């Protein structure tokens, strides 16, 4: 870009672009004629006085200061990480003749423009506003503002599949860029141009994240995408699913409080409930997932703050009647949180069934590629804010690179889950009929104790199947070692199939008798089906069973 010397520090020579001005493409209309979706507005505040809005902008002329490329590139690297120079709109004014001060400015500069290609620029900062995105340019200090009310862009999307791709991003993210993909904003802190702006932030007149532990533009996109899928007012994302569980329990259960949970659950959650919460005087009632009488008894005999369980559970895939549980708990003023990690937001909508909060280990199906750790909590703005405030104190922040990986992973969530649902159900039926398998645990089978509940509240039954091999610990080890496709590993929900023997993977520190107290038998296998071809997986499982 050729830059001429100018009398004003904010002049740009565009002689190298001949007589054409920069063209700002008009925004596409995705509404299909419907009033449900509003196109973003583009406005330019000139000289700090008049704001001209253009709904059908044909062209915009951009003015940049001297050394723009070098200086803004430096600022872009410093403040916006991967947002390239060409992706940041720095300033604009309209060459349209229909607006007050703009028309006056154009008329005043008419003769000068005929003699020289330089276009005079306003002396004060100029804002470019696109939808809910604002880039404020003062010199070259780029700040991201107005990162709120970003759910509107998804109002024209009617399916979960479309939401996984576009929610939180299309015309709604708080990052000014023309890039299709969400940029990764790698920064630990956010600066304020003047102390007055800092005071405005403290008094809630100015929007900023202030510090990396309190938020990040990239992670906000992820939170908005998950909120759209869950139908939630708000979502908070954390560094792991276990982090989300512990922070939620600490935030919502008061000292001396009481919780109700279920017998079948992730072991580390049970350890936290049994060993850490009692130090704060918090007690727990543990019931079978189907024991509604036990739940009612606990609600009548204790001041229960929270009912917390997984549905389906780990590893036996038990299901709770979320609607019934919510009705019982709400009568007594207790909150309900469902860990829906095994279900995913596509197979089950816990909030719409009555739960107050839904939690996920985003490490699993949501991330879906076995390459990132994260956890999330979705629900009402009020409850999530309580959790978020404690999260800001305790830490456990998800970094922007991890958030980007999950955003990318979610683009195929609906495709992956559809494949995994299908494969798991077909394999569960094959395993149940196999002579070397004693029992299969899968909510999609009529033999499952909560099959009637699962069919009522789930649209798919997930990609994980647990089953008991007809044999002992050694026989089960032989079966697992004979498998060629799945990895022997913890976790589940990724593209790659994963298999584990819970007695060894999660409970090996306990004796056999202690494991049996939790129902963990030596012959139990948990198989997470990936997105490999069904016939290949079927062949592999059958040959491994034939080997024992």
């Amino acid at each position: 870009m050729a830059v001429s010397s100018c009398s004003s520090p904010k002049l740009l020579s565009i002689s190298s672009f001949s007589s054409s001005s920069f063209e700002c493409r008009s925004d596409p209309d995705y509404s299909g004629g419907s009033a449900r979706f509003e196109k973003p507005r583009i406005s330019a505040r000139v000289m700090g006085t008049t704001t001209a809005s253009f709904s059908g902008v044909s062209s915009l002329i951009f003015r940049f200061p001297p050394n723009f490329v070098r200086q803004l590139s430096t600022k872009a690297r410093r403040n916006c990480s991967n947002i390239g120079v060409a992706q940041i709109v720095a300033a604009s004014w309209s060459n349209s003749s229909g607006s007050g001060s703009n028309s006056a400015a154009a008329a005043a500069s008419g003769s000068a423009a005929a003699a020289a290609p330089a276009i005079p620029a306003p002396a004060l900062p100029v804002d470019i506003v696109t939808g809910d995105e604002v880039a404020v340019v003062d010199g070259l200090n780029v700040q991201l503002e107005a990162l709120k009310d970003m759910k509107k862009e998804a109002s024209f999307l009617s399916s979960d599949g479309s939401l996984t791709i576009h929610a939180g991003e299309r015309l709604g993210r708080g990052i000014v860029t023309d890039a299709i993909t969400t940029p990764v904003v790698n920064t630990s802190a956010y600066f304020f141009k003047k102390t007055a702006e800092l005071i405005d932030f403290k008094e809630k007149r100015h929007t900023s994240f202030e510090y990396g532990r309190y938020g990040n533009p990239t992670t906000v996109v992820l939170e908005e995408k998950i909120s759209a899928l869950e139908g939630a007012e708000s979502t908070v994302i954390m560094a792991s699913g276990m982090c989300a569980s512990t922070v939620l329990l600490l935030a919502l259960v008061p000292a001396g409080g009481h919780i109700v949970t279920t017998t079948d659950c992730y072991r580390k959650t049970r350890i936290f409930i049994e060993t850490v919460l009692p130090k704060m005087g918090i007690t727990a009632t543990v019931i079978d997932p189907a024991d509604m009488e036990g739940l009612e008894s606990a609600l009548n005999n204790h001041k229960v703050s929270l009912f917390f369980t997984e549905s389906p559970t780990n590893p036996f895939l038990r299901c709770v009647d979320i609607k019934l549980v919510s009705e019982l708990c709400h009568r007594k003023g207790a909150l309900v949180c469902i860990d829906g990690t095994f279900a995913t937001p596509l197979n089950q909508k816990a909030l719409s069934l009555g739960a107050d909060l839904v939690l996920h280990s985003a490490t699993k199906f949501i991330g879906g590629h076995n390459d990132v750790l994260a956890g999330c909590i979705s629900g009402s703005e009020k409850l999530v804010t309580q959790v978020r405030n404690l999260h800001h104190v305790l830490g456990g922040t998800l970094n922007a690179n991890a958030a980007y990986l999950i955003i990318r992973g979610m683009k195929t969530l609906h495709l992956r889950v559809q494949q995994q649902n299908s494969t798991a159900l077909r394999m569960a039926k094959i395993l149940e009929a196999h002579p070397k398998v004693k029992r299969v645990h899968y909510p999609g089978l009529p033999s499952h104790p909560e099959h009637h509940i699962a069919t009522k509240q789930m649209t798919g039954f997930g990609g994980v199947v647990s089953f008991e091999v007809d044999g002992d610990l050694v026989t089960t080890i032989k079966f697992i070692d004979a498998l060629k496709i799945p990895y022997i590993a913890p976790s589940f929900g990724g593209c790659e199939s994963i298999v584990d023997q819970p007695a060894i993977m999660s409970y090996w520190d306990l004796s056999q008798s202690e494991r049996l107290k939790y129902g963990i038998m030596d012959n139990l296998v948990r198989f997470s089906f990936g997105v490999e071809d069904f016939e290949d997986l079927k062949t592999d499982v059958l040959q491994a069973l034939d080997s024992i």
Side-chain angles (χ1 to χ4, degrees):
M1 178 183 295
V3 180
S4 66
S5 60
C6 309
S7 58
S8 168
K10 295 185 182 239
L11 298 181
L12 168 67
S13 170
I14 58 170
S15 58
S16 59
F17 296 94
S18 68
S19 61
S20 63
S21 64
F22 287 102
E23 293 293 324
C24 181
R25 57 181 172 80
S26 59
D27 299 296
D29 184 354
Y30 300 100
S31 64
S34 171
R36 294 174 58 201
F37 179 68
E38 296 181 3
K39 294 189 291 183
R41 69 189 186 283
I42 301 179
S43 68
R45 287 203 293 272
V46 181
M47 300 298 290
T49 56
T50 304
T51 300
S53 298
F54 311 92
S55 59
V57 179
S58 60
S59 65
L60 292 174
I61 300 177
F62 295 84
R63 295 186 310 280
F64 305 106
N67 301 318
F68 169 79
V69 173
R70 177 180 60 79
Q71 294 181 48
L72 185 52
S73 178
T74 300
K75 287 290 182 177
R77 288 194 301 271
R78 183 183 305 165
N79 302 322
C80 298
S81 182
N82 296 348
I83 306 177
V85 175
Q87 297 171 332
I88 300 178
V89 180
S92 79
W93 73 299
S94 174
N95 61 348
S96 170
S97 60
S99 178
S101 61
N102 288 341
S103 299
S109 61
S111 58
I119 301 173
L124 297 180
V126 178
D127 293 0
I128 292 296
V129 184
T130 306
D132 293 313
E133 309 166 354
V134 183
V136 179
V137 181
D138 182 4
L140 287 173
N141 292 330
V142 178
Q143 283 278 358
L144 301 176
E145 296 188 352
L147 301 176
K148 57 186 177 179
D149 194 25
M150 296 195 297
K151 299 181 180 68
K152 291 186 294 184
E153 89 288 350
S155 63
F156 68 104
L157 301 175
S158 60
S159 70
D160 283 345
S162 297
L163 289 175
T164 59
I165 298 170
H166 294 299
E169 296 187 271
R170 182 128 215 180
L171 309 178
R173 60 189 168 208
I175 304 175
V176 180
T177 172
D178 282 337
I180 292 176
T181 56
T182 293
V184 181
V185 181
N186 280 319
T187 186
S188 60
Y190 304 82
F191 71 90
F192 299 88
K193 296 187 287 296
K194 299 290 183 181
T195 301
E197 186 176 81
L198 173 57
I199 294 173
D200 283 343
F201 166 73
K202 294 296 183 181
E203 296 182 355
K204 303 188 184 303
R205 292 186 299 271
H206 171 74
T207 303
S208 174
F209 293 107
E210 183 185 6
Y211 188 59
R213 195 170 73 249
Y214 307 147
N216 178 286
T218 309
T219 59
V220 165
V221 168
L222 174 57
E223 290 173 344
E224 292 297 326
K225 190 180 288 291
I226 294 171
S227 289
L229 276 181
E230 289 288 7
E233 290 180 357
S234 183
T235 293
V236 58
I237 191 84
M238 300 185 196
S240 71
M242 196 63 215
C243 178
S245 297
T246 55
V247 174
L248 178 140
L249 290 168
L250 291 172
L252 298 181
V253 183
H258 192 85
I259 67 172
V260 178
T261 189
T262 54
T263 50
D264 192 34
C265 68
Y266 178 51
R267 188 186 177 197
K268 292 299 188 294
T269 304
R270 180 187 295 117
I271 289 173
F272 183 78
I273 291 172
E274 292 177 347
T275 64
V276 178
L277 292 184
K279 296 177 181 179
M280 289 165 278
I282 297 173
T283 54
T285 295
V286 183
I287 63 172
D288 183 270
D291 187 5
M292 293 299 99
E293 290 184 3
L295 173 59
E296 288 188 272
S297 176
L299 290 168
N300 290 330
N301 296 322
H302 302 276
K303 185 173 176 54
V304 177
S305 302
L306 178 71
F307 176 83
F308 179 82
T309 188
E310 303 155 14
S311 187
T313 60
N314 183 15
F316 292 108
L317 305 170
R318 299 289 301 279
C319 299
V320 301
D321 189 329
I322 300 173
K323 187 175 185 293
L324 178 58
V325 163
S326 299
E327 290 173 353
L328 295 174
C329 289
H330 291 163
R331 289 175 194 166
K332 295 292 185 176
L335 298 173
V336 174
C337 178
I338 301 296
D339 182 335
T341 300
F342 276 85
T344 79
L346 302 184
N347 287 330
Q348 180 176 276
K349 306 288 189 185
L351 298 180
S352 67
L353 292 167
D356 300 287
L357 295 159
V358 59
L359 181 147
H360 293 276
S361 171
T363 306
K364 312 303 192 295
F365 288 100
I366 290 178
H369 288 74
N370 293 317
D371 59 1
V372 64
L373 296 176
C376 62
I377 300 162
S378 302
S380 69
E381 186 73 42
K382 179 182 178 181
L383 290 176
V384 172
T385 296
Q386 286 182 247
V387 178
R388 192 190 303 275
N389 288 342
L390 182 60
H391 164 56
H392 289 170
V393 174
L394 296 178
T397 306
L398 186 74
N399 71 73
N401 296 282
Y404 173 82
L405 287 175
I406 300 172
I407 291 169
R408 184 182 65 172
M410 288 184 70
K411 309 277 187 176
T412 58
L413 177 61
H414 59 301
L415 302 175
R416 291 185 283 105
V417 168
Q418 181 180 11
Q419 173 77 2
Q420 289 164 308
N421 284 344
S422 173
T423 296
L425 180 58
R426 295 169 72 183
M427 284 305 307
K429 292 176 179 178
I430 291 170
L431 289 166
E432 190 171 48
H434 200 283
K436 293 184 179 179
V437 175
K438 293 180 66 176
R439 187 178 180 185
V440 178
H441 306 272
Y442 188 69
L445 295 176
S447 59
H448 189 276
E450 284 85 48
H451 176 67
H452 63 291
I453 294 175
T455 55
K456 180 174 62 175
Q457 66 187 24
M458 300 179 74
T459 57
F461 305 109
V464 178
V465 178
S466 294
F467 56 95
E468 300 161 29
V469 172
D470 188 9
D472 56 10
L473 183 75
V474 175
T475 303
T476 308
I477 290 172
K478 184 177 180 181
F479 162 73
I480 287 177
D481 287 349
L483 291 165
K484 294 179 172 60
I485 293 178
Y487 291 93
I488 302 174
S491 197
F492 57 89
C495 292
E496 300 88 356
S497 289
I498 285 178
V499 67
D500 78 84
Q501 197 171 349
I504 299 175
M505 184 66 73
S506 303
Y507 290 85
W508 193 241
D509 58 313
L510 301 181
S511 66
Q512 185 182 50
S513 61
E514 289 174 320
R515 294 196 295 267
L516 287 174
K517 291 179 183 177
Y518 300 107
I520 305 300
M521 297 155 289
D522 290 343
N523 63 343
L524 181 65
V525 174
R526 191 184 72 177
F527 202 121
S528 172
F529 290 97
V531 296
E532 300 95 345
D533 181 77
F534 168 76
E535 291 298 331
D536 287 340
L537 287 167
K538 174 184 171 183
T539 299
D540 190 29
V541 171
L542 292 179
Q543 67 81 23
L545 286 171
D546 288 343
S547 71
I548 60 176

